[in-house]
Structure formats: structure tokens, C-alpha cells
């Protein structure tokens, strides 16, 4: 039998009501939300009742998605489903760090709150946009980026999907260039140009904050978005670098597969990572775990 990987969702799929059914059905999930509320009162309310406008603000999105991600993983573990390795997309990597024991739940939640604050501030001071490019290769997307100032490929998601960070002024023209090249472009519902040089100040602020954060050795293998390899060396540097550098998700998943992973479970909000897996790998089984019903289906599969 092959290995199981938990992959933790990033921001972009948030919605009002996320995590509510998990809270009601799983003591382990409820404990995560209670922890979050003890450190940041109102987090569970935002997840369960917050407006989309509220949930799309980075300062709210990151702690809320983190809580749902970790709650889903803990609900799975509570039912006896344990991974051999973990990874997280963007902010999902902080939830993965908690699940792998690198950070305590409380330290991870404080870290993701600080990360959200710093990235929100950087986004307001350096406004930008993110555009998903479909039906073009990463090389084609990179070539298009070179035609525009301050435009960078930042999420290498699959062979036919790359996300680009650019200025708000360039977004429409870049989308037109993608269409002219035979691709599809979609501006994403996020509040900044993440994983790019737009986030340099946030990365520096996070490095300073993490000097007082305790990082432990991973209890299970955790893969880094920045290197696409298992965590090794200075954890703080991997967390810092991830904020202002591309997420190499396709390569990360290829490396997981090479290490024996044949089952991937997306824990948290939405099914973006499950869909990427389905489109990229024909021989990896993929599931999502966002609700009690999802977990039931996994247990019965």
C-alpha cells in the first residue's frame, strides 16, 4: 500500500459557513476552533457567519482558513486516518506545521495571525492583483510576464495552470495578453499580490517575529512550498521565504509521488488542491475533507 498525504488548503476558497458542520460533529475540530477563539475572539463566528467581504480581507482570511484546515485534519485523525506526510498551499503550510508538530497549535495560530497582518499591510502599501492563467504552459506564462513590469509567476499549480502576481493597473492588460496567446485568465478574489516581491516587507517582518517562536523537529515529513522538498535546515527561513517567493506546488506533488504517495486528502476549505491533483496525476487517488460527509466518504472508500 502506498502513502497518504494531507494537503492543507490556501486562501481563495473561503466562504461563510465554512467549518460549522465540523465544529458541531467533531470534538477534535471543536477544540481547534475553541483554541482560535481563545487567542483571537470571533474567529469561529467569522468562519460560520462572516460576510464574503469580511472573509476576503487577508487579516481575517488567514486565521479563519487556518482554523478550518487544522480542524479538518484533526477530525480525520480522530477517525483513525493518519498521513505519512503533509504539505500546505501558502497559508496552509502553517496548518501543516502545526499538524506535523513543528509548532504548537497556539504558536501556529499566532504565527498565521501575524502573517495575515503583515501581508495585509504589505498589500495595502503595495497594491497588486493575482491572475490565474489556464491552458498555457508555465514557460509561456513566464514569457508573458516578461512583457509587463512588476509581473511575476508565483504559483506553479499544474502543467496548465500558473498564477501570476502583478500591479492592479496591469491586471486587465495582462489578462488580454493571456487570451491573445490562447489561454484563459481569471483575476482571483484576493487582496494582494502574494508570493512575490510585493511581499518583501511582510517577509522581513515575519522573520523578525519568528525569532521568538519555538520550532520543533517534524514528527512526520512536511514539504516546503519554497523548495518543494521535505523541510530541512532552518524552518524560519523556509516560512519567511515562502511569503515572497513562488509556491512550487506541481513539483512538490511530483516529489511526494516519487516518495510513494498514492493518496492525497485535501483538508480544509474547498477542493482546489484535489482538482489540481486530479488534473495532473492519473495514478494518485484524491479526496477532500471539509465536512463530516466528506470524512464519511473517505472512511468508506
Amino acid at each position: 500500500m502506498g502513502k497518504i498525504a494531507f494537503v492543507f488548503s490556501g486562501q481563495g476558497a473561503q466562504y461563510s459557513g465554512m467549518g460549522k458542520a465540523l465544529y458541531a460533529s467533531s470534538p477534535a475540530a471543536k477544540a481547534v476552533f475553541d483554541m482560535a477563539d481563545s487567542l483571537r475572539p470571533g474567529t469561529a463566528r467569522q468562519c460560520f457567519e462572516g460576510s464574503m467581504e469580511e472573509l476576503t480581507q487577508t487579516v481575517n482570511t488567514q486565521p479563519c482558513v487556518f482554523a478550518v484546515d487544522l480542524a479538518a485534519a484533526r477530525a480525520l485523525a480522530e477517525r483513525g486516518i493518519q498521513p505519512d506526510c503533509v504539505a500546505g498551499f501558502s497559508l496552509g503550510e502553517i496548518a501543516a506545521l502545526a499538524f506535523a508538530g513543528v509548532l504548537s497549535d497556539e504558536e501556529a495560530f499566532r504565527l498565521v495571525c501575524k502573517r495575515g497582518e503583515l501581508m495585509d499591510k504589505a498589500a495595502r502599501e503595495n497594491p497588486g492583483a493575482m491572475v490565474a492563467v489556464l491552458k498555457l504552459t508555465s514557460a509561456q506564462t513566464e514569457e508573458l510576464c516578461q512583457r509587463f513590469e512588476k509581473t511575476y509567476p508565483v504559483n506553479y499549480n499544474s502543467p496548465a495552470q500558473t498564477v501570476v502576481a502583478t500591479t492592479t493597473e496591469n491586471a486587465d492588460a495582462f489578462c488580454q495578453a493571456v487570451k491573445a496567446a490562447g489561454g484563459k485568465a481569471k483575476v482571483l478574489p484576493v487582496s494582494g499580490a502574494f508570493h512575490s516581491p510585493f511581499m518583501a516587507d511582510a517577509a522581513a517582518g515575519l522573520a523578525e517575529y519568528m525569532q521568538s517562536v519555538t520550532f520543533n523537529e517534524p514528527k512526520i515529513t512536511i514539504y516546503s512550498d519554497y523548495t518543494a522538498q521535505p523541510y530541512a535546515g532552518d524552518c524560519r527561513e523556509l516560512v519567511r521565504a515562502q511569503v515572497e517567493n513562488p509556491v512550487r506546488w506541481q513539483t512538490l506533488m511530483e516529489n511526494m509521488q516519487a516518495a510513494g504517495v498514492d493518496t492525497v486528502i485535501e483538508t480544509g476549505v474547498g477542493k482546489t488542491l484535489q482538482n489540481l491533483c486530479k488534473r495532473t496525476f492519473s495514478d494518485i487517488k484524491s479526496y477532500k475533507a471539509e465536512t463530516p460527509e466528506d470524512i464519511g466518504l473517505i472512511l468508506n472508500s
Side-chain angles (χ1 to χ4, degrees):
M1 181 179 290
K3 296 178 180 178
I4 296 173
F6 283 4
V7 294
F8 293 76
S9 308
Q11 70 189 85
Q14 63 274 2
Y15 67 94
S16 183
M18 60 183 182
K20 190 172 184 179
L22 281 174
Y23 180 90
S25 65
S26 164
K30 182 178 184 298
V32 173
F33 286 108
D34 289 346
M35 176 278 297
D37 273 344
S38 72
L39 297 176
R40 182 182 179 271
T43 299
R45 182 205 62 77
Q46 285 184 331
C47 291
F48 305 159
E49 304 171 11
S51 67
M52 275 306 296
E53 181 181 2
E54 185 177 17
L55 287 168
T56 303
Q57 297 170 22
T58 297
V59 70
N60 297 324
T61 313
Q62 297 206 16
C64 287
V65 171
F66 170 95
V68 180
D69 282 3
L70 187 58
R74 289 281 160 72
L76 282 166
E78 182 180 53
R79 300 296 298 275
I81 303 171
Q82 293 284 356
D84 297 283
C85 60
V86 295
F89 193 100
S90 189
L91 79 90
E93 190 167 311
I94 311 302
L97 286 165
F99 191 87
V102 177
L103 296 169
S104 69
D105 289 359
E106 291 79 7
E107 285 278 35
F109 188 71
R110 292 189 188 98
L111 177 60
V112 85
C113 288
K114 175 58 69 173
R115 185 180 185 274
E117 291 170 10
L118 290 167
M119 293 174 75
D120 182 67
K121 183 173 184 287
R124 285 185 279 107
E125 294 176 351
N126 302 283
M130 297 183 78
V131 179
V133 179
L134 307 172
K135 297 187 176 181
L136 297 181
T137 66
S138 58
Q140 289 173 302
T141 302
E142 289 168 349
E143 193 277 325
L144 286 177
C145 288
Q146 292 172 6
R147 302 182 194 175
F148 295 83
E149 291 187 355
K150 296 183 177 179
T151 301
Y152 315 94
V154 293
N155 298 161
Y156 290 88
N157 291 344
S158 74
Q161 184 185 117
T162 306
V163 175
V164 168
T166 187
T167 64
T168 50
E169 295 82 6
N170 280 343
D172 286 344
F174 181 77
C175 288
Q176 292 301 318
V178 169
K179 292 173 185 176
K184 292 181 64 176
K186 178 183 177 182
V187 178
L188 299 178
V190 295
S191 58
F194 305 130
H195 303 290
S196 76
F198 287 80
M199 292 290 117
D201 289 346
L206 199 63
E208 182 177 354
Y209 173 81
M210 288 189 295
Q211 289 178 8
S212 61
V213 177
T214 299
F215 285 78
N216 306 305
E217 287 296 314
K219 294 178 180 176
I220 57 175
T221 301
I222 174 171
Y223 284 77
S224 162
D225 287 349
Y226 176 54
T227 65
Q229 299 288 343
Y231 260 63
D234 186 354
C235 292
R236 292 175 179 82
E237 174 55 20
L238 294 176
V239 174
R240 182 209 66 78
Q242 187 237 56
V243 170
E244 61 174 343
N245 286 282
V247 173
R248 302 191 177 278
W249 191 255
Q250 181 187 341
T251 304
L252 184 159
M253 290 297 300
E254 289 168 348
N255 290 339
M256 276 189 170
Q257 183 186 41
V261 168
D262 68 0
T263 302
V264 169
I265 303 174
E266 179 172 6
T267 65
V269 187
K271 54 183 180 180
T272 299
L273 303 181
Q274 181 194 20
N275 285 340
L276 289 175
C277 187
K278 284 181 176 180
R279 292 171 189 154
T280 309
F281 303 96
S282 60
D283 49 356
I284 293 181
K285 293 175 289 186
S286 59
Y287 304 90
K288 73 182 184 78
E290 183 182 353
T291 67
E293 290 76 17
D294 292 337
I295 293 172
L297 288 173
I298 294 169
L299 287 167
N300 293 324
S301 64

